[in-house]
Every structure is written in structure tokens, then in C-alpha cells.
Amino acid sequence: MREIKVRRNDGTGTEWPVNLIGAEGMPIRAHVAISALGATGASPYALRVREMAAANAPEAAASAMDQSYLRALFEHAPEAIVVLDRASRILAANPRFLTLFGYARTEVLGADIDALIVPESLRAEALGLNRTALTGMDAEHQTLRRRKDGSVLPVSILAAPIVHDGQNVAFYSIYRDLGPLQDIVARLEQTQARLDVVVSQAPIALFILDEHATFNFCAGKALETAGLAATQLLGHCAYDLFKVYPDILTAVGQALRGERAATVTAFRGLTYEIQYSPVLDVSGRSIGVFGLVRDVTETQLARQQLEFMAHHDLLTRLPNRSLFGDRLQEALLRAKRRGTRVALLFFDLDGFKQVNDTLGHATGDRLLQWVARQARSAVRDMDTVARLGGDEFAVLVEDIDTPVGAAAVAQRLLESLDQPYVDGERPIPTSASIGISLYPTDGLDPDGLLKAADLAMYRAKSCGRNRYEFFASDLGTTAATIFTKTAWMRQALEHDGFVLHYQPTVRLQDGGVTGVEALIRLRQPDGQLMPPLEFIALAEETGLIVPIGRWVAHEACRQWQAWRAAGLPDLRMAINLSAREFHDATCVRAIGEALQAHGMPGDQFMVEITESMMFPDPARARTLLEELRGLHIAVAIDDFGTGYSSLAHLRDVPADFIKIDQSFVAGIPADEKTCGIVRTIMAMARGLNLQVIAEGVETDAQQQYLRELECDEVQGFLLGHPLPAAEFAPWLDRRPERR
Ligand code: C2E
Ligand code: MG
Ligand code: MG
């Protein structure tokens, strides 16, 4: 407010421009004229106020216009505005001020603003603020103010002086309610904090690649678990870093072309799912890649667990019927392709129902788990053992050569279950009945084979349990024989039941006897001799071949020494090895021990192996043969021409002889094709520096033909049958050419 000094002698009519506040709180521009009504000092004065709007034309009109703008602004401003005199008394307040602080206009006009809206504790601060505002400096300030109802609100205050005629006549304050803003800030902070937690705690990572696939940004816990530091990625190109992950590179390329992509990648023992989204510019062009990486290892494990549960019996953890069906189907397809056999063994426990009924289901369950373990350990890793339901189990055996192989598996199963299961303290006697069906003889599809095996199992049950039966009736007798033969072989090992017969080999050039081949026979209880083709395969399946082979080596060496002692000329002694023996790690050592035990020189000894034995591991075969060589033992490849001949292997194998198989010799000289084969074998043997023995020579014509081909040695009924040791010396004696 401007102070006007009026002097007594001032003439009337003098006017001063002033700013006034109208009843509605509006500033009014006016002229004030004061005149003394009397001549003395005590006489009253007259005050005349003239509003300026009434003044002259365009300027006044413009000013009136300004005023209405200002008034509109003041009335409708979204912020609370007050105009204050120098003593902080409210001259004007806009509606927003009134609503914000909860007062009526009449309550505020003329009131001290600090008393009205400043909390007690902030009075001093408010005074300072007012003062600053009046000194002419703008001041913005964040603080608290109080509403009429006593509630406190955060505000931002902008205060500035109102200058008139170069003087700060008043000041105004603008209050902005910070409540909503603070809410937003709080919410933003919360969101940020949550994001931080997500990025730093959740098993994820985020990354951004630029248009050159270079890492611009990366963060997240998944980085840490992957053992990657941000510095290893930032500024580096994804194409360089992930060269060995072609699917990642493809996905990045796709995203850079504007398509979404995803990969599932195994990295350092964990599994990550990565989603790639293109980052697009305003024109929709891809200018980078946004990536979200999730560690899905656990999800994956859970999925595998579910998968496992769908295909396995949860009690025994064996494959269930559905998985077994799939495996059987696959095995049949393979067998069809390769022309091999598949055996299906179906078994259930004898008397399981009784165990369940009398000892309870918990015991029954434990028994089933034990059966599963026993069955699993009785078969090879590659065979499938499944629980089809209840106490029914099935075994899938692939790659069996003969029904004997299936019988051997069944026998091992029976043995593994033919011992009591001990539940706590209590032994529960167990046994099983097994039915066997074979592909392709007993069925061509899984259903057919299962049915056949099931039928066979019932026969096994009806034949007295704890046994196995083949589906095909004639094989039923074979099964019995297999059982007996195994028993006989065991006995023979213990009670000297094996016999060696000796068949000579003869030099073609001069008819001299070069050696003998020891051929084994099994003496049956009735005294008859069983030929090796009837029991060697079974001996291989049951593993009995190993002790049998040891016996053969010893007996052959013993016989050689006995003949020498009896004055016979030294003859090369050959024995046959079967695949299982040959791949037995101790085989060579056992032969060495036999030689040593009987004082037999290694260079008088020969080992016959077949071509097919050298597979599936030619390198190992080579090592074994070299070990034999180290003992000066000769090596012959038996039944040559019938196995998988591979010249490459033959070249690498350190052999001395090949024995042309009887089936070829049988064809000469009549069959031209066979003659061709024999000639080729001869030529090849020459090239490889191997000597040739022809097996199964029965006729003069064969011998003559072989002589023309310059075959080294012959063996066969024409020259001599396999003979017992006792008959061999007289046979040799009768020959004109003794050596
Ligand atoms: P191999 O080693 O090829 O033995 C030759 C087989 O042909 C012998 O049968 C022999 O009696 C027979 N043979 C010999 N000359 C003639 C002939 O002129 N005409 C015909 N038709 N046959 C002839 P054997 O003794 O029955 O032996 C059969 C196979 O059993 C042997 O074939 C050999 O692979 C295996 N074997 C024999 N003894 C043993 C042994 O101690 N251990 C092993 N692992 N296998 C053996
Ligand atoms: Mg042989
Ligand atoms: Mg042979």
C-alpha cells in the first residue's frame, strides 16, 4: 500500500494513482484525490477514488482486457495463489487456494497467512520465506503446510514480490500440492525397486543389442549364474561371442530382420530360454534386439520328471507298459532291418498274491522293488526290464543269435529270483515263471509277441513254476535241453567230462603232418560225446566258455608234452578261441600260463580265431594278437570267407595263417564261382604273406585242385578225422610220411 502524504495547502483536485483491492479480492487501478474540507488542521478531509477504467479510450480498453485475462487466470489457475501485503496479510486468494486449504474466502481475506496455514514448527521458516519473497528475489521452496482441518500436505511454494513504481508493495505465493506428485514418485521408486529385485534376483537377464549385434546393455542374475560378467558382453558382438551356438546366431539375425525368435540353449550345465524381439525405430525398421534370458533348468527338470512319470512305474522306477511297447516296437523295426532276432520274456512271481494277502501291501511293494532290482542286475544294461502291472514284468532282449541266448537270460533271471527276499528279518521265498517269445518266429508285432510270451508263461506255471518256457512247442523241449546241457557242462568242468580230439593238418607239397587242431567234445552221462556245435554257443551265453577254454589250453599243452615224452615228432598244436574268450582280458595270460605249466614252447602253439571276432573292436583284437605274438604263438584266421572279411583289417591284423572255410572247399573244383573265390583268397593271402590251410578236404579232386593253386596245407576227412589222443599216435605211425 502506498502512503500518501497530504499537505493542508495542497490544492484540491490533486490525484494519485493507486492500486486497490476490491471486495472480491480483485486489484483495482484507481486515482485518489484528497482535499481538506476546512482551513484548520482539525477539519476533515475528503477522499475521492476514481477507477481508472473509466479513463480515456483505447489504452483504457486494453487495460480492462488485460484485467479480465488476469482475472480468468487467477480464477482458474490449477495452482493455489494468494496475494499478500508486506505484513503477510492475505489481500486476495484464488478458488484453488480455498479448496486446497479448506477455507471460505471470508475466512482468509485480511488474515495472516502464516497463522492460517503454517504448522507451528515451521513458523520461523515461513517468516524467512516471506522475507525473501519481499526482498525481490524469486524463491521456490518445498515444505509442509496445514489445511483448515489440521491435515498436513506437502507443497512447493513459489513466492515473488509485486513491484509497483519501483517499490515492492506486496508479494504473491503460488502453492503447488505435491501430494499427488509424491505419490507418483513413491510409486515410481517402488516400481524401480521391484524391477531391481526382479533383475537382480529372478533367474533372468535382459540384454539389448544394437544393429550390429553388439551388446549395449545387459543385466540380470541369469548372467551371474551363467558365469558371465557384463564386461565380457558389453561392447562385444554377439556373432563373435556365440560362434559355437549357431541357433543363437540365427535367432539374432532373425530379430535384426524384424522377426521374433526364441532358442533353448544349454550353457555350462544349465538350460536357458532366450527370447529375441526386434527393437524398431519409428519407421518400423529393426535397429537392434531386445533379449530376455530365462534360466529354465528347473522347469526343464520338472518337465523331465513329468515325462519320466508318464513312462515309468513309480514304485519300481522301471519303464511302464507304454514305454515298453514303444521300445519293443523300435526293437522290432531294427531287427527287421538287420535280419536279427528279438526275444521277449514275460514273467510274474509265483505266489505273489499270497504275499500281498498275508503280509500286506507294503511288504508286497517292497518285494516288487526288490524283484525289479534283481531282474535289472540279471540282464545287460542295453536290455529293457519293465513292469507291466501288478507282479507282471517283461524283459526285452535284442541282438540274440539263437533261442539259446534268450534261454540264458531267462536262466539268469530265474537264478536271481530263486533266493528269498529278506523283508526286515523275515525271508520270503520267491520264484518266477517266465514265458519267452521270439521275433520273428512267434510274432511280428508287439501285441502278438506279448500274447505269445503270456501263453508261454502260463505253460511255465502249469509245468511246475520257477522255470521258463518258450512259446513255440518244439522249443519247449530245447529249453529243457538247455537246462540239462548247462548242468552237464558244469559237471564236466568239475569231473573231467570234456575230451579233446585231434585232427591233423598236412603239408600239400610232400604230405608231411604239420600239426593238429584240438577239437572239444562233451561226454554225456550215457558216455556219448556231444559235438562242440551243440554246446559252445550255450557255454558262451552262460560264461562257462571261459573256464572251458582254460581247460582246453591246459589239456592241449599237456597232451603235446605227453606226445613228446612218448617220442612223437613235435607237431604244431592249434586250439580254437570263441569271441567271449578272445575278448576276456585275461585270455592271453591264461594261455601263457598253460604253456609254462607244461613246458610247451610258444612257437609250437597256434590259436584259431574267426574273422568276426576281430570286430567290433579291431584295435583291441590287434593288441591281443600282438600279445600272442609276443609269446611266439601263431595265429590262424578260421572259417575264412564266411565272416565280414575286410581286407583293411586283414592287412592290420598280425596273423600267420588263414583257414579257407569248408563251404568253399566243398565247391571246388566243380563250381566255377567258388573256384574263383578260392583263387582270389589264395592270391590275396600271398599278397599279405599269409599261409593258407584248406579245411574240410574230403576228395582227391579237391586236394588236387588246391595243390595246383599251391595251397600250403590241408585238413579234412580225406587226410584224417579228429581222433582221440590215444588213437592219434598209431594213426601217425601208419603214415608213410611221418612229418
Ligand atoms: P572249426 O575250428 O572250423 O573246426 C573244424 C570242424 O570241421 C570240426 O568240427 C571238424 O570235425 C570238422 N571237420 C574237419 N574235417 C572235416 C571234413 O572233411 N568234412 C566236414 N564236413 N567236417 C570236417 P567240430 O569238431 O564239430 O568243431 C566245430 C567247431 O566247434 C569248430 O570249427 C570250432 O569252431 C568249434 N570248436 C571246437 N573245439 C573248440 C574248442 O575247444 N573251443 C572253442 N571255442 N571252439 C571249439
Ligand atoms: Mg578251428
Ligand atoms: Mg573252421
Side-chain angles (χ1 to χ4, degrees), residues 212-240:
H212 308 295
T214 299
F215 279 90
N216 262 347
F217 167 85
C218 63
K221 190 166 177 341
L223 280 181
E224 212 177 286
T225 52
L228 288 173
T231 49
Q232 286 174 278
L233 301 178
L234 291 177
H236 294 278
C237 177
Y239 288 125
D240 296 335

Side-chain angles (χ1 to χ4, degrees), residues 517 519 576 608 638 659 695:
E517 177 180 3
L519 296 160
N576 292 280
E608 298 188 6
D638 206 354
K659 296 185 77 174
E695 290 187 277

Side-chain angles (χ1 to χ4, degrees), residues 395-459:
V395 183
L396 168 63
V397 188
E398 277 186 80
D399 287 331
I400 48 156
D401 302 328
T402 59
V404 171
V409 176
Q411 184 61 39
R412 280 203 301 274
L413 265 175
L414 285 180
E415 282 166 16
S416 75
L417 296 175
D418 187 23
Q419 45 183 301
Y421 159 62
V422 184
D423 187 55
E425 295 280 280
R426 182 178 33 210
I428 303 172
T430 59
S431 68
S433 299
I434 306 175
I436 306 173
S437 62
L438 297 168
Y439 169 89
T441 33
D442 304 336
L444 295 173
D445 56 41
D447 274 357
L449 285 167
L450 270 166
K451 244 179 234 138
D454 194 27
L455 275 174
M457 186 196 72
Y458 276 99
R459 209 168 70 212

Side-chain angles (χ1 to χ4, degrees), residues 263-298:
T263 60
V264 175
T265 310
F267 186 76
R268 298 183 178 164
L270 298 175
T271 310
Y272 297 92
E273 185 190 86
I274 311 175
Q275 285 167 7
Y276 311 78
S277 319
V279 176
L280 303 175
D281 68 4
V282 277
S283 65
R285 201 172 57 95
S286 174
I287 51 164
V289 180
F290 171 73
L292 170 63
V293 184
R294 284 196 306 140
D295 178 351
V296 291
T297 314
E298 278 182 21

Side-chain angles (χ1 to χ4, degrees), residues 8 33 43 58 101 134 167-168 209 218 253 263 294 335 341-342 365 556 645 651 693:
R8 181 173 277 285
S43 63
F101 290 99
L134 270 172
Q167 296 206 31
N168 295 348
L209 305 179
C218 63
T263 60
R294 284 196 306 140
R341 299 189 211 219
V342 172
D365 282 354
S645 301
R651 189 194 58 207
I693 304 174

Side-chain angles (χ1 to χ4, degrees), residues 611 614-615 618 622 625-626 629 637 640 644-658 684-690:
E611 290 162 88
M614 297 188 291
F615 306 94
R622 195 187 148 87
L625 293 182
E626 261 158 11
R629 274 287 186 83
I637 298 173
F640 189 80
Y644 314 85
S645 301
S646 157
L647 281 176
H649 287 130
L650 207 58
R651 189 194 58 207
D652 292 340
V653 165
D656 305 277
F657 291 88
I658 56 175
M684 189 197 70
R686 294 270 166 275
L688 291 170
N689 216 5
L690 296 167

